[in-house]
Amino acid sequence: MPIIQVHMMEGRSDAQKEALIAEITAAVVHALGAPKESVRVLIDEMPKQHFGIGGVSAKALGR
């Protein structure tokens, strides 16, 4: 059972996350030949102030 974990900053819509899950699932099915039903996708969202880029939080950078 392939388990794919995605870490990203908060702010995407539910529709965007649904599309991401579908696209990742399709890619795993294609690349590994895994049954679609066995693919798990976990999305971990974090606040922008918990994501640092070049020593500064993404929130402070306006991202």
Side-chain angles (χ1 to χ4, degrees):
M1 165 182 13
I3 302 172
I4 310 330
Q5 192 166 13
V6 178
H7 300 277
M8 64 185 191
M9 287 185 282
E10 64 187 357
R12 275 47 174 231
S13 69
D14 287 345
Q16 288 173 313
K17 289 180 269 189
E18 290 287 343
L20 179 62
I21 290 168
E23 293 289 336
I24 289 172
T25 299
V28 171
V29 169
H30 175 76
L32 301 180
K36 181 178 179 179
E37 298 76 23
S38 74
V39 179
R40 306 292 188 261
V41 178
L42 308 173
I43 297 176
D44 293 319
E45 290 185 287
M46 63 193 76
K48 294 179 180 186
Q49 64 269 24
H50 293 183
F51 194 98
I53 302 167
V56 182
S57 75
K59 183 176 183 178
L61 292 171
R63 296 201 176 179

